[in-house]
Amino acid sequence: MKAIQIEQTGGPEVLQLAEVAAPEPSDGQILVDVLVAGVNYIDTYYREGIYDAEPPFTPGFEGVGRVRHDPQGEIAPGTMVAWNTAFGSYAEQVCVDRDKVVAVPNEFDLPTAASMLLQGITAHYLTHGVYELGEGDSCVITAGAGGVGLVATQLAAAAGATVYTVVSSAEKEQLSYDAGATHVLRYGPDLVEQVRDLTDGRGVDVVYDGVGKDTFAQSLDMVRGRGVVCLFGAASGPVDPIDPQVLNQKGSIFLTRPSVAGWTSREGEFQMRAQAVVQAVVDGDLRFRVSNSYALEDAAQAHRDLQDRKTTGSIVLRVQEDEYA
Ligand code: NDP
């Protein structure tokens, strides 16, 4: 089968199309024919070697496709499913844990199905887990027009929160407003002052920071006393270690660095969050913007565009070109 293979970690150019052996499902797994694969920022961390994987490996975690083989014979071949935890998804076939797939209703277009789970579940646990947002709450979301950012903004606004987002361009500003942001701000030295002014000096209840290195220090200053700083990503690079005493000085604030694995680890939690996302899409309450799609062999370009901040919303790889729609 065709797959993107990384022989050695590094820049986008290490994402090479190769002919590799098809994977075989182990206990608890099913084999799926991938139609469209989602591209996420975490894929760039594995490609660069920031997160560990032993080369050669195929990156990617999520996608949509048809069940090819269920060793237990429970899921019929041809059933359309989506997933977000199957390492090796930039490929024509991938093995998926059977308890980590969701059936894809007919209403879904494939790009949405391929990109809804990882970013959707993340946005869900951020706004309905790490901090349960409700009426009267306020939050800051960095990278507000990114994949997670646009979804988190919609969920936060739907929960009744005042949503301050941070973006880098006029196009992203408009998209963020369209997603329901109350105020869209730009990165810069006066970001903290702007958020303080908008909150009568108090700061927000929770900061969701997926940018990391460039914004983390400001995140600590934008949150209210006893509020939560949720560092959930590192698009601009990893954050340096901090002295816990800083949390005291900033007003007894909380700092957390969560993961999808941690926030789907309880009994039934993966399905609860996944179904909440799927249902919200079906009901028309949640929209996924898939701004760019790339042929499988152009995975390197997808990573370049993502890391050069050229994308908005989600991006995907067309694994089966003739079925992409
Ligand atoms: P995005 O679509 O949000 O792309 C990243 C965005 O980050 C860019 O578009 C850009 O938006 C912003 N950014 C700010 N500074 C930089 C920089 N120096 N270089 C590149 N981008 C920058 O990606 P995802 O939605 O896939 O992921 C967003 C973040 O969420 C990532 O950090 C990712 O690791 C994290 N994540 C964490 C999860 C978790 O469970 N912990 C799960 C899923 C994602 P702008 O130009 O507006 O600043």
Side-chain angles (χ1 to χ4, degrees):
M1 68 164 188
K2 288 191 174 58
I4 294 295
Q5 185 90 328
I6 292 180
E7 296 285 344
Q8 196 175 5
T9 55
E13 70 285 352
V14 304
L15 297 167
Q16 293 288 338
L17 190 68
E19 197 65 39
V20 302
E24 287 190 18
S26 52
D27 273 0
Q29 291 190 319
I30 56 174
L31 184 62
V32 171
D33 285 320
V34 182
L35 297 180
V36 183
V39 176
N40 289 279
Y41 221 90
I42 191 172
D43 304 340
T44 70
Y45 306 147
Y46 278 93
R47 191 205 73 222
E48 290 174 353
I50 295 171
Y51 286 178
D52 265 349
E54 189 63 39
F57 66 89
T58 295
F61 283 97
E62 80 173 337
V64 64
R66 288 198 194 92
V67 173
R68 185 185 182 93
H69 175 52
D70 174 8
Q72 292 188 21
E74 285 171 5
I75 309 178
T79 304
M80 192 75 88
V81 292
W83 62 90
N84 70 296
T85 58
F87 194 51
S89 288
Y90 290 10
E92 289 182 321
Q93 293 175 36
V94 70
C95 295
V96 188
D97 292 346
R98 57 189 308 114
D99 59 347
K100 292 286 171 62
V101 293
V102 294
V104 174
N106 293 335
E107 304 87 295
F108 275 94
D109 61 54
L110 292 180
T112 296
S115 50
M116 67 183 172
L117 286 184
L118 209 157
Q119 294 168 353
I121 289 173
T122 302
H124 190 269
Y125 86 68
L126 292 176
T127 56
H128 295 285
V130 166
Y131 194 101
E132 184 68 49
L133 285 172
E135 292 288 341
D137 288 331
S138 57
C139 64
V140 166
I141 301 173
T142 61
V148 174
L150 283 178
V151 183
T153 300
Q154 293 174 72
L155 295 182
T162 301
V163 187
Y164 304 107
T165 61
V166 194
V167 304
S168 65
S169 71
E171 185 207 358
K172 291 181 179 187
E173 178 178 317
Q174 189 55 52
L175 289 170
S176 183
Y177 275 125
D178 292 347
T182 317
H183 284 280
V184 182
L185 308 168
R186 298 294 175 91
Y187 304 96
D190 64 344
L191 180 60
V192 173
E193 196 183 325
Q194 287 190 65
V195 170
R196 289 275 165 194
D197 284 350
L198 287 162
T199 55
D200 296 327
R202 174 177 174 268
V204 292
D205 297 298
V206 52
V207 178
Y208 300 114
D209 186 359
V211 168
K213 192 175 184 62
D214 290 354
T215 47
F216 180 67
Q218 291 178 311
S219 293
L220 297 176
D221 285 327
M222 292 191 287
V223 74
R224 66 163 164 81
R226 290 160 53 173
V228 175
V229 172
C230 172
L231 175 69
F232 69 97
S236 66
V239 166
D240 292 331
I242 72 157
D243 177 353
Q245 185 61 15
V246 170
L247 306 179
N248 165 351
Q249 291 157 0
K250 302 291 180 188
S252 300
I253 63 173
F254 295 84
L255 171 63
T256 183
R257 177 61 178 89
S259 68
V260 171
W263 281 93
T264 53
S265 62
R266 294 192 179 161
E267 182 75 32
E269 195 174 16
F270 168 80
Q271 286 296 339
M272 178 274 284
R273 296 196 191 284
Q275 292 305 333
V277 172
V278 172
Q279 196 57 50
V281 175
V282 170
D283 292 345
D285 295 333
L286 191 58
R287 281 177 298 123
F288 281 77
R289 174 188 163 81
V290 181
S291 66
N292 297 51
S293 76
Y294 304 80
L296 179 62
E297 60 263 38
D298 294 332
Q301 192 58 45
H303 277 215
R304 276 189 205 100
D305 290 351
L306 185 61
Q307 292 187 288
D308 288 347
R309 306 165 80 159
K310 288 182 179 160
T311 65
T312 56
S314 313
I315 60 173
V316 298
L317 301 178
R318 305 184 303 265
V319 179
Q320 292 299 332
E321 287 280 1
D322 49 340
E323 300 223 34
Y324 187 82

PDB file of all heavy atoms in Angstrom, residues 25-26 28-32 67 69-71 75 81 94-98 101:
ATOM      1  N   PRO A  25      -4.149  -5.922  11.884  1.00  0.00           N
ATOM      2  CA  PRO A  25      -4.767  -5.564  13.163  1.00  0.00           C
ATOM      3  C   PRO A  25      -4.364  -6.523  14.276  1.00  0.00           C
ATOM      4  O   PRO A  25      -4.329  -7.733  14.067  1.00  0.00           O
ATOM      5  CB  PRO A  25      -6.277  -5.647  12.873  1.00  0.00           C
ATOM      6  CG  PRO A  25      -6.408  -6.419  11.608  1.00  0.00           C
ATOM      7  CD  PRO A  25      -5.128  -6.314  10.863  1.00  0.00           C
ATOM      8  N   SER A  26      -4.027  -5.961  15.437  1.00  0.00           N
ATOM      9  CA  SER A  26      -3.780  -6.812  16.599  1.00  0.00           C
ATOM     10  C   SER A  26      -5.072  -6.882  17.411  1.00  0.00           C
ATOM     11  O   SER A  26      -6.103  -6.324  17.007  1.00  0.00           O
ATOM     12  CB  SER A  26      -2.605  -6.271  17.415  1.00  0.00           C
ATOM     13  OG  SER A  26      -2.807  -4.923  17.698  1.00  0.00           O
ATOM     14  N   GLY A  28      -8.194  -6.352  19.424  1.00  0.00           N
ATOM     15  CA  GLY A  28      -8.942  -5.132  19.730  1.00  0.00           C
ATOM     16  C   GLY A  28      -8.904  -4.102  18.617  1.00  0.00           C
ATOM     17  O   GLY A  28      -9.393  -2.989  18.794  1.00  0.00           O
ATOM     18  N   GLN A  29      -8.339  -4.481  17.463  1.00  0.00           N
ATOM     19  CA  GLN A  29      -8.238  -3.502  16.371  1.00  0.00           C
ATOM     20  C   GLN A  29      -9.030  -3.961  15.150  1.00  0.00           C
ATOM     21  O   GLN A  29      -9.310  -5.148  14.982  1.00  0.00           O
ATOM     22  CB  GLN A  29      -6.780  -3.309  15.955  1.00  0.00           C
ATOM     23  CG  GLN A  29      -5.944  -2.612  17.015  1.00  0.00           C
ATOM     24  CD  GLN A  29      -4.584  -2.231  16.475  1.00  0.00           C
ATOM     25  OE1 GLN A  29      -3.955  -3.002  15.748  1.00  0.00           O
ATOM     26  NE2 GLN A  29      -4.126  -1.039  16.828  1.00  0.00           N
ATOM     27  N   ILE A  30      -9.345  -2.975  14.309  1.00  0.00           N
ATOM     28  CA  ILE A  30      -9.928  -3.268  12.999  1.00  0.00           C
ATOM     29  C   ILE A  30      -9.036  -2.633  11.932  1.00  0.00           C
ATOM     30  O   ILE A  30      -8.278  -1.693  12.233  1.00  0.00           O
ATOM     31  CB  ILE A  30     -11.370  -2.716  12.867  1.00  0.00           C
ATOM     32  CG1 ILE A  30     -11.393  -1.198  13.139  1.00  0.00           C
ATOM     33  CG2 ILE A  30     -12.307  -3.436  13.820  1.00  0.00           C
ATOM     34  CD1 ILE A  30     -12.741  -0.552  12.882  1.00  0.00           C
ATOM     35  N   LEU A  31      -9.128  -3.162  10.714  1.00  0.00           N
ATOM     36  CA  LEU A  31      -8.346  -2.612   9.604  1.00  0.00           C
ATOM     37  C   LEU A  31      -9.269  -1.756   8.735  1.00  0.00           C
ATOM     38  O   LEU A  31     -10.377  -2.185   8.387  1.00  0.00           O
ATOM     39  CB  LEU A  31      -7.740  -3.734   8.770  1.00  0.00           C
ATOM     40  CG  LEU A  31      -6.812  -3.316   7.630  1.00  0.00           C
ATOM     41  CD1 LEU A  31      -5.577  -2.576   8.156  1.00  0.00           C
ATOM     42  CD2 LEU A  31      -6.373  -4.548   6.822  1.00  0.00           C
ATOM     43  N   VAL A  32      -8.781  -0.559   8.418  1.00  0.00           N
ATOM     44  CA  VAL A  32      -9.621   0.415   7.707  1.00  0.00           C
ATOM     45  C   VAL A  32      -8.932   0.889   6.428  1.00  0.00           C
ATOM     46  O   VAL A  32      -7.712   1.092   6.421  1.00  0.00           O
ATOM     47  CB  VAL A  32      -9.892   1.624   8.646  1.00  0.00           C
ATOM     48  CG1 VAL A  32     -10.565   2.743   7.900  1.00  0.00           C
ATOM     49  CG2 VAL A  32     -10.734   1.201   9.829  1.00  0.00           C
ATOM     50  N   VAL A  67     -14.350   0.378   6.813  1.00  0.00           N
ATOM     51  CA  VAL A  67     -13.817  -0.821   7.458  1.00  0.00           C
ATOM     52  C   VAL A  67     -13.507  -1.864   6.374  1.00  0.00           C
ATOM     53  O   VAL A  67     -14.340  -2.157   5.515  1.00  0.00           O
ATOM     54  CB  VAL A  67     -14.836  -1.391   8.475  1.00  0.00           C
ATOM     55  CG1 VAL A  67     -14.352  -2.729   9.027  1.00  0.00           C
ATOM     56  CG2 VAL A  67     -15.061  -0.380   9.592  1.00  0.00           C
ATOM     57  N   HIS A  69     -11.616  -4.860   7.368  1.00  0.00           N
ATOM     58  CA  HIS A  69     -11.638  -6.177   8.026  1.00  0.00           C
ATOM     59  C   HIS A  69     -11.763  -5.998   9.532  1.00  0.00           C
ATOM     60  O   HIS A  69     -10.982  -5.262  10.147  1.00  0.00           O
ATOM     61  CB  HIS A  69     -10.335  -6.910   7.688  1.00  0.00           C
ATOM     62  CG  HIS A  69     -10.186  -8.214   8.392  1.00  0.00           C
ATOM     63  ND1 HIS A  69     -11.156  -9.197   8.365  1.00  0.00           N
ATOM     64  CD2 HIS A  69      -9.177  -8.711   9.162  1.00  0.00           C
ATOM     65  CE1 HIS A  69     -10.751 -10.225   9.082  1.00  0.00           C
ATOM     66  NE2 HIS A  69      -9.558  -9.958   9.584  1.00  0.00           N
ATOM     67  N   ASP A  70     -12.769  -6.645  10.093  1.00  0.00           N
ATOM     68  CA  ASP A  70     -12.894  -6.688  11.550  1.00  0.00           C
ATOM     69  C   ASP A  70     -12.655  -8.141  11.978  1.00  0.00           C
ATOM     70  O   ASP A  70     -13.520  -8.999  11.724  1.00  0.00           O
ATOM     71  CB  ASP A  70     -14.297  -6.228  11.981  1.00  0.00           C
ATOM     72  CG  ASP A  70     -14.503  -6.400  13.483  1.00  0.00           C
ATOM     73  OD1 ASP A  70     -13.524  -6.731  14.184  1.00  0.00           O
ATOM     74  OD2 ASP A  70     -15.641  -6.209  13.947  1.00  0.00           O
ATOM     75  N   PRO A  71     -11.519  -8.431  12.596  1.00  0.00           N
ATOM     76  CA  PRO A  71     -11.208  -9.815  12.964  1.00  0.00           C
ATOM     77  C   PRO A  71     -12.295 -10.443  13.825  1.00  0.00           C
ATOM     78  O   PRO A  71     -12.479 -11.657  13.800  1.00  0.00           O
ATOM     79  CB  PRO A  71      -9.898  -9.700  13.744  1.00  0.00           C
ATOM     80  CG  PRO A  71      -9.299  -8.407  13.318  1.00  0.00           C
ATOM     81  CD  PRO A  71     -10.449  -7.504  13.000  1.00  0.00           C
ATOM     82  N   ILE A  75     -18.110  -5.578  12.940  1.00  0.00           N
ATOM     83  CA  ILE A  75     -18.374  -4.385  12.116  1.00  0.00           C
ATOM     84  C   ILE A  75     -18.291  -4.797  10.647  1.00  0.00           C
ATOM     85  O   ILE A  75     -17.271  -5.336  10.201  1.00  0.00           O
ATOM     86  CB  ILE A  75     -17.359  -3.254  12.431  1.00  0.00           C
ATOM     87  CG1 ILE A  75     -17.299  -2.993  13.935  1.00  0.00           C
ATOM     88  CG2 ILE A  75     -17.734  -1.988  11.669  1.00  0.00           C
ATOM     89  CD1 ILE A  75     -16.305  -1.928  14.341  1.00  0.00           C
ATOM     90  N   VAL A  81     -16.319   4.888   9.013  1.00  0.00           N
ATOM     91  CA  VAL A  81     -15.953   5.255  10.387  1.00  0.00           C
ATOM     92  C   VAL A  81     -14.934   6.394  10.372  1.00  0.00           C
ATOM     93  O   VAL A  81     -14.230   6.607   9.383  1.00  0.00           O
ATOM     94  CB  VAL A  81     -15.345   4.060  11.166  1.00  0.00           C
ATOM     95  CG1 VAL A  81     -16.392   2.980  11.437  1.00  0.00           C
ATOM     96  CG2 VAL A  81     -14.139   3.474  10.447  1.00  0.00           C
ATOM     97  N   VAL A  94      -4.966   1.598   7.703  1.00  0.00           N
ATOM     98  CA  VAL A  94      -4.462   1.786   9.069  1.00  0.00           C
ATOM     99  C   VAL A  94      -5.274   0.905  10.016  1.00  0.00           C
ATOM    100  O   VAL A  94      -6.451   0.603   9.751  1.00  0.00           O
ATOM    101  CB  VAL A  94      -4.535   3.284   9.485  1.00  0.00           C
ATOM    102  CG1 VAL A  94      -5.967   3.759   9.695  1.00  0.00           C
ATOM    103  CG2 VAL A  94      -3.704   3.554  10.733  1.00  0.00           C
ATOM    104  N   CYS A  95      -4.635   0.495  11.104  1.00  0.00           N
ATOM    105  CA  CYS A  95      -5.332  -0.267  12.144  1.00  0.00           C
ATOM    106  C   CYS A  95      -5.841   0.698  13.205  1.00  0.00           C
ATOM    107  O   CYS A  95      -5.098   1.572  13.655  1.00  0.00           O
ATOM    108  CB  CYS A  95      -4.389  -1.278  12.792  1.00  0.00           C
ATOM    109  SG  CYS A  95      -3.845  -2.537  11.654  1.00  0.00           S
ATOM    110  N   VAL A  96      -7.089   0.537  13.587  1.00  0.00           N
ATOM    111  CA  VAL A  96      -7.721   1.444  14.552  1.00  0.00           C
ATOM    112  C   VAL A  96      -8.260   0.625  15.721  1.00  0.00           C
ATOM    113  O   VAL A  96      -8.869  -0.435  15.503  1.00  0.00           O
ATOM    114  CB  VAL A  96      -8.890   2.222  13.901  1.00  0.00           C
ATOM    115  CG1 VAL A  96      -9.412   3.297  14.842  1.00  0.00           C
ATOM    116  CG2 VAL A  96      -8.473   2.836  12.579  1.00  0.00           C
ATOM    117  N   ASP A  97      -8.050   1.113  16.946  1.00  0.00           N
ATOM    118  CA  ASP A  97      -8.647   0.444  18.108  1.00  0.00           C
ATOM    119  C   ASP A  97     -10.162   0.472  17.957  1.00  0.00           C
ATOM    120  O   ASP A  97     -10.747   1.535  17.726  1.00  0.00           O
ATOM    121  CB  ASP A  97      -8.244   1.151  19.406  1.00  0.00           C
ATOM    122  CG  ASP A  97      -6.760   0.979  19.703  1.00  0.00           C
ATOM    123  OD1 ASP A  97      -6.122   0.109  19.062  1.00  0.00           O
ATOM    124  OD2 ASP A  97      -6.234   1.721  20.551  1.00  0.00           O
ATOM    125  N   ARG A  98     -10.794  -0.704  18.104  1.00  0.00           N
ATOM    126  CA  ARG A  98     -12.224  -0.793  17.816  1.00  0.00           C
ATOM    127  C   ARG A  98     -13.070   0.080  18.746  1.00  0.00           C
ATOM    128  O   ARG A  98     -14.157   0.532  18.365  1.00  0.00           O
ATOM    129  CB  ARG A  98     -12.708  -2.231  17.840  1.00  0.00           C
ATOM    130  CG  ARG A  98     -12.435  -2.948  19.142  1.00  0.00           C
ATOM    131  CD  ARG A  98     -12.729  -4.428  19.075  1.00  0.00           C
ATOM    132  NE  ARG A  98     -14.062  -4.658  18.562  1.00  0.00           N
ATOM    133  CZ  ARG A  98     -14.341  -5.258  17.395  1.00  0.00           C
ATOM    134  NH1 ARG A  98     -13.394  -5.707  16.643  1.00  0.00           N
ATOM    135  NH2 ARG A  98     -15.577  -5.412  17.017  1.00  0.00           N
ATOM    136  N   VAL A 101     -13.393   4.149  17.452  1.00  0.00           N
ATOM    137  CA  VAL A 101     -13.969   4.598  16.178  1.00  0.00           C
ATOM    138  C   VAL A 101     -15.392   5.083  16.428  1.00  0.00           C
ATOM    139  O   VAL A 101     -16.041   4.678  17.391  1.00  0.00           O
ATOM    140  CB  VAL A 101     -14.014   3.481  15.103  1.00  0.00           C
ATOM    141  CG1 VAL A 101     -12.642   3.076  14.661  1.00  0.00           C
ATOM    142  CG2 VAL A 101     -14.837   2.295  15.569  1.00  0.00           C
TER     143      VAL A 101
END
